[in-house]
Amino acid sequence: MKLSVISMTGVLAVILFASCGSPSAGKSGVGRWVSYSGDKDVEKRVDSVLALMTLEEKIGQMTQFSANWSITGPVMSDDFKPYLEKGLVGSIFNATSVEGIRKMQEVAVEKTRLGIPILFGQDVIHGYKTIFPIPLAEACSWDLEMMRRTAEIAAIEAASDGINWTFAPMVDIARDARWGRVMEGAGEDPYLGSRVAEARVIGFQGGADGKALGELHTLLATGKHLAAYGAAESGRDYNPAELSEHTLRNIYLPPYKAAIDAGVGTMMASFNEINGVPATADRWLMTDILRGEWDFTGFVVSDYTGINELVPHGVAEDEKQAAELAVNAGIDMDMTGATFIKYLSQSVREGKVSEEVINNAVRRILEIKFLLGLFDNPYRYLDEERAKQNTMTPEFMETARKAVTSSVVLLKNDNRLLPITKESGKTVALIGPLMNDSINLNGEWAGLGDRNKSVPILKGLMEKYRDTSVKLLFAEGSSITGTTPGKIAEAVSVARRADLVIAAMGEDFNWSGEAAVRTDIRLPEPQRELLKALKATGKPLVLISLSGRPLDLSWEDENMDAILQAWFPGTQAGHGIADVIAGDYNPSGKLVMSFPRNVGQIPIYYNQKNTGRPVDLSNESTDYKSNYLDTSITPLYPFGYGLSYTTFSISNVSADKSSIRTTGDKMVVTAHVQNTGDIDGELVVQVYVRDLVGSVTRPVKELKGFQKTALKAGETKQVNFELKSEDLAFYGTDGKKKTEAGDFVLWVAQSSADNSNRIRFSANTPDNAR
């Protein structure tokens, strides 16, 4: 055995080379990179590795290949095995299982010159094997601790299977329900989106500062997609976004900044262009803002073949130039495109890319690998027994079930048709293509979740009402996209024998997610035909709507007696929905995206501008106002809306002062919240503010706080909110964020459309503070 001791920048790096090959770190549990003298300075350890690397090896660290065990984009024709054997791979995407990952890591660590370990990434979006409700649904719970916990469980399961890195959370603001990727985010509001981004980053990474990275239950998180991917024109994936810097900074950028403030380790560039510059080549975004203004110290990865796509975008004449544009803009790793590994060495020799740019990118990547503990033991995540112990445990199942109940939104409930108690003695017809379905329940981006293991609604209801006075009948009536007169007749016959009907309708899971854009967001015609036939029976009718986006439910709102928006609920779908139907859980979800009355209203969102000719909502037919001739300007269901089996009131709204200074000040707002019904429940109490006059136009309302408050029947509680002067700040025409002096209105409300409890206050400069 040959022992080579090399001193680099104050750190003693020890590399062991066996005469017949590298020692097996897989057996010993210790990699070849060992820090002696107790030196824990990651920066020095990184420099010690970097000093030993050739230019080609550095660029290899900036390269990610896909194992193609699951497909999330165009399959690259390049065989990455030769790169792997030469130590020219920094990360592998879509590899799964302890055994499969171990084999690839062994090649990188034991059969290459430097033995640098690989980072393994996977789309762990809303669960790994235990699948939780889609992120849009979870956001409707307004329960940040629950969202933190589901991300934590996803990290535990994925890390136990050898995964180190997830490409989540998606923090894009979404105002267009046609866009399929609304399912991955937290909706239309930048304040709520920022809070959710923070909670999910902390859940994945084990804390707010990144110090837990390296613990065996954590994943490296990714804030995506920088920037304004949700603003793509027409809701079309990959389409350009044309928006002012004012809108970009005030609406779209805050959640990315929140993810960074929470310690997110990586960021992902978006596919789209903003104002003529594709994000993957946008130095202003990736360097000036991300690193200059926000002090981000992690690394930036392109999206899947995003660098290659600079050629069809029309800003690069070939993939070599695309690689140069991307790396000089601030992209540190090429996701599956192979442009860096093919072209950057030549670009450095030609002087088109400096080696300093390469070194900085590699430093950031190596630092993450050190923080994850991969240099100390590249096999530390690989333990088949631990994987078995940390997969779909009873505790995980219970959390998934609670996530379903808290994510369901009750949109309508005439005559208190719901809940259907176990003692009611009713006969209930269960109908619809999604009633006995398990395949669609996980939604898109469902990790390695087994769709056959997801609990159908029919099964959940049958178990819920077993040995009770409630009798259940079932008929499918239609598939998602088709039906026959015979199937409808069978469903109608079953409905006529029942006291009421519950119909489970909605989308195919493939209709949302990436590249899943719809211009008609109504229920498919065969399902509507079935609903019309059921309506004609005269039986009370409950709709369970399952989808990955807000739908146009205008006809259903007019004709159904009750509507539950259940989204795609995941593994425990049937049990969680049954808990809500039976009243074992009182629904408390509130919408985080407005539901349009028709697709012509899109984009629609609550925090709109007033315009110079605002509409009086009490008289929308007024001529020459900013309205429609054929429908209201209001959404069918607004942001923050959601019913309960009980009722609530808010009163006695007050503040401890009538004005605050524009810098360094705060006020405390209090309100009394009462459960005015006869059932225990929870209310998401929301605080909105309007800046009446600004140097630029301001939204008619902006969310500035919320609390989920549990109240017994008849109980009253006082809730308190702290409003800081910086909460009122915005970016003005000078590009700077500040709080302007002026008058404000504040609402403590049950939804964005609730205008009943308001107070006025002012913000004043310190010299004029009252």
Side-chain angles (χ1 to χ4, degrees):
M1 178 179 289
K2 179 182 178 182
L3 177 64
S4 178
V5 182
I6 305 172
S7 178
M8 296 291 176
T9 61
V11 162
L12 192 63
V14 178
I15 307 100
L16 300 176
F17 296 100
S19 59
C20 59
S22 305
S24 174
K27 295 178 181 179
S28 67
V30 179
R32 286 186 285 157
W33 294 97
V34 184
S35 178
Y36 281 77
S37 305
D39 194 331
K40 301 299 183 181
D41 189 333
V42 172
E43 183 178 348
K44 292 179 180 179
R45 295 184 73 186
V46 167
D47 285 343
S48 73
V49 177
L50 192 67
L52 300 175
M53 300 176 72
T54 66
L55 176 61
E56 190 177 24
E57 287 168 336
K58 293 173 184 176
I59 295 169
Q61 287 300 301
M62 301 167 64
T63 299
Q64 181 186 73
F65 287 99
S66 175
N68 293 329
W69 295 354
S70 60
I71 303 300
T72 58
V75 179
M76 298 303 296
S77 59
D78 296 5
D79 182 358
F80 68 87
K81 186 177 179 182
Y83 295 104
L84 179 63
E85 292 173 343
K86 294 177 183 178
L88 303 181
V89 177
S91 174
I92 291 178
F93 186 20
N94 286 332
T96 56
S97 84
V98 169
E99 180 183 2
I101 290 173
R102 180 181 292 277
K103 288 180 180 179
M104 292 187 180
Q105 194 71 286
E106 283 176 349
V107 175
V109 172
E110 301 177 23
K111 297 181 180 180
T112 65
R113 188 179 80 90
L114 294 180
I116 298 175
I118 288 174
L119 187 62
F120 289 92
Q122 184 68 256
D123 280 314
V124 184
I125 306 300
H126 55 108
Y128 184 65
K129 291 187 177 177
T130 302
I131 306 303
F132 301 100
I134 60 173
L136 184 67
E138 280 198 341
C140 290
S141 73
W142 298 58
D143 187 337
L144 298 174
E145 172 55 26
M146 187 269 288
M147 287 180 261
R148 183 206 64 79
R149 178 57 179 158
T150 60
E152 180 180 53
I153 290 172
I156 291 169
E157 287 193 339
S160 297
D161 221 15
I163 304 299
N164 319 117
W165 185 15
T166 177
F167 303 109
M170 189 192 91
V171 299
D172 299 314
I173 296 300
R175 293 171 158 183
D176 192 330
R178 294 171 297 182
W179 188 45
R181 298 194 79 163
V182 301
M183 55 132 322
E184 276 189 82
E188 70 191 48
D189 181 72
Y191 176 83
L192 179 62
S194 296
R195 297 293 306 278
V196 172
E198 176 186 79
R200 300 196 73 214
V201 167
I202 291 172
F204 284 129
Q205 296 192 168
D209 52 13
K211 291 182 179 179
L213 286 176
E215 298 292 330
L216 293 180
H217 63 276
T218 65
L219 289 179
L220 176 67
T222 307
K224 67 180 188 183
H225 309 81
L226 189 65
Y229 192 25
E233 289 181 349
S234 307
R236 277 173 43 208
D237 249 326
Y238 323 120
N239 218 24
E242 289 289 335
L243 66 169
S244 67
E245 185 175 349
H246 165 79
T247 301
L248 181 67
R249 286 190 177 274
N250 285 305
I251 301 297
Y252 289 93
L253 291 186
Y256 307 113
K257 177 61 162 58
I260 290 168
D261 290 343
V264 72
T266 66
M267 295 292 287
M268 181 184 289
S270 60
F271 283 120
N272 61 295
E273 66 173 71
I274 301 175
N275 302 332
V277 182
T280 308
D282 194 337
R283 183 175 175 83
W284 178 70
L285 271 178
M286 300 301 162
T287 297
D288 296 349
I289 292 180
L290 186 60
R291 300 201 184 279
E293 293 185 23
W294 295 350
D295 297 321
F296 177 63
T297 58
F299 73 83
V300 181
V301 63
S302 73
D303 208 336
Y304 207 110
T305 66
I307 298 175
N308 312 67
E309 292 162 25
L310 295 177
V311 177
H313 266 298
V315 296
E317 63 181 5
D318 55 29
E319 290 188 350
K320 178 176 176 292
Q321 186 184 13
E324 293 163 359
L325 288 172
V327 75
N328 286 328
I331 304 299
D332 300 310
M333 183 176 284
D334 177 359
M335 179 184 281
T336 75
T339 62
F340 284 0
I341 196 67
K342 288 180 178 179
Y343 304 113
L344 284 189
S345 292
Q346 180 182 349
S347 298
V348 171
R349 290 193 296 270
E350 293 172 350
K352 295 179 179 178
V353 175
S354 73
E355 192 159 0
E356 181 183 7
V357 168
I358 303 295
N359 288 341
N360 288 337
V362 178
R363 279 192 184 95
R364 291 188 277 260
I365 294 165
L366 293 178
E367 180 178 5
I368 290 294
K369 293 186 177 184
F370 271 112
L371 291 174
L372 288 169
L374 292 173
F375 277 92
D376 297 316
N377 180 0
Y379 304 98
R380 61 198 306 269
Y381 293 91
L382 302 173
D383 184 336
E384 291 182 354
E385 187 58 35
R386 187 167 64 90
K388 292 177 183 177
Q389 293 173 355
N390 288 312
T391 299
M392 300 185 78
T393 69
E395 191 272 331
F396 294 175
M397 293 297 101
E398 182 61 25
T399 300
R401 184 169 180 162
K402 290 179 179 177
V404 175
T405 61
S406 60
S407 299
V408 168
V409 183
L410 181 61
L411 299 177
K412 184 177 181 181
N413 194 25
D414 286 356
N415 302 314
R416 298 185 66 171
L417 184 57
L418 296 176
I420 303 168
T421 64
K422 298 173 187 176
E423 301 78 23
S424 66
K426 292 181 177 179
T427 297
V428 183
L430 305 178
I431 292 171
L434 293 175
M435 184 60 73
N436 194 31
D437 173 90
S438 65
I439 302 302
N440 289 288
L441 296 177
N442 288 356
E444 190 54 274
W445 299 110
L448 269 68
D450 186 341
R451 294 184 181 275
N452 292 307
K453 291 183 178 179
S454 294
V455 180
I457 298 172
L458 178 63
K459 180 178 179 180
L461 290 170
M462 289 177 67
E463 291 190 14
K464 177 65 66 175
Y465 292 110
R466 181 181 294 139
D467 301 324
T468 72
S469 63
V470 175
K471 182 179 179 181
L472 302 179
L473 308 173
F474 170 67
E476 185 181 60
S478 76
S479 67
I480 291 176
T481 57
T483 190
T484 65
K487 293 187 77 170
I488 290 180
E490 179 188 11
V492 167
S493 175
V494 168
R496 285 178 174 150
R497 292 156 48 200
D499 297 308
L500 76 159
V501 177
I502 301 178
M505 308 285 195
E507 296 184 306
D508 185 291
F509 79 90
N510 286 303
W511 296 356
S512 59
E514 186 175 346
V517 181
R518 298 182 65 199
T519 60
D520 185 347
I521 56 172
R522 296 175 296 173
L523 291 175
E525 179 60 34
Q527 295 184 47
R528 282 184 280 141
E529 184 181 351
L530 174 59
L531 284 177
K532 290 174 183 177
L534 295 173
K535 175 69 175 177
T537 67
K539 301 290 183 176
L541 189 50
V542 178
L543 171 65
I544 301 175
S545 171
L546 296 114
S547 63
R549 55 166 54 81
L551 299 176
D552 172 359
L553 296 177
S554 298
W555 183 88
E556 290 77 8
D557 181 68
E558 290 180 3
N559 290 279
M560 302 297 103
D561 298 283
I563 303 175
L564 274 178
Q565 178 63 36
W567 311 104
F568 287 124
T571 303
Q572 289 288 294
H575 292 315
I577 291 173
D579 289 340
V580 173
I581 294 286
D584 292 339
Y585 181 86
N586 187 351
S588 61
K590 297 281 190 176
L591 295 179
V592 296
M593 276 192 78
S594 302
F595 275 50
R597 296 180 185 275
N598 58 61
V599 74
Q601 287 186 312
I602 293 174
I604 188 167
Y605 45 91
Y606 86 94
N607 48 352
Q608 61 187 318
K609 298 296 185 70
N610 201 41
T611 81
R613 294 189 175 188
V615 174
D616 178 358
L617 294 179
S618 65
N619 182 21
E620 290 189 59
S621 63
T622 304
D623 288 340
Y624 301 105
K625 299 293 184 180
S626 182
N627 61 356
Y628 295 112
L629 292 176
D630 55 353
T631 193
S632 168
I633 67 166
T634 63
L636 180 65
Y637 307 118
F639 175 88
Y641 170 82
L643 302 177
S644 168
Y645 294 153
T646 189
T647 55
F648 300 94
S649 69
I650 298 173
S651 62
N652 298 327
V653 177
S654 63
D656 64 342
K657 57 178 72 174
S658 61
S659 66
I660 61 174
R661 295 185 298 274
T662 54
T663 56
D665 201 2
K666 62 183 179 181
M667 61 188 286
V668 176
V669 177
T670 63
H672 290 168
V673 182
Q674 183 179 12
N675 182 339
T676 53
D678 54 6
I679 299 175
D680 298 349
E682 297 172 289
L683 177 65
V684 179
V685 186
Q686 303 155 46
V687 174
Y688 296 90
V689 167
R690 180 173 182 181
D691 186 346
L692 295 174
V693 178
S695 59
V696 294
T697 59
R698 306 294 296 127
V700 294
K701 277 187 179 179
E702 296 178 281
L703 182 72
K704 295 299 179 182
F706 61 89
Q707 287 184 33
K708 194 165 190 175
T709 304
L711 293 153
K712 300 288 185 183
E715 182 181 14
T716 299
K717 287 184 179 178
Q718 178 175 295
V719 294
N720 302 310
F721 297 92
E722 186 176 271
L723 186 70
K724 298 178 181 178
S725 56
E726 54 262 38
D727 294 331
L728 307 175
F730 61 91
Y731 287 92
T733 54
D734 59 2
K736 296 180 180 179
K737 188 176 184 180
K738 59 187 176 183
T739 302
E740 295 183 352
D743 293 327
F744 295 79
V745 176
L746 179 147
W747 295 263
V748 179
Q750 298 191 46
S751 80
S752 63
D754 178 2
N755 295 309
S756 57
N757 292 282
R758 70 176 75 184
I759 59 173
R760 289 179 69 114
F761 69 96
S762 61
N764 300 284
T765 60
D767 293 339
N768 297 319
R770 292 195 293 265

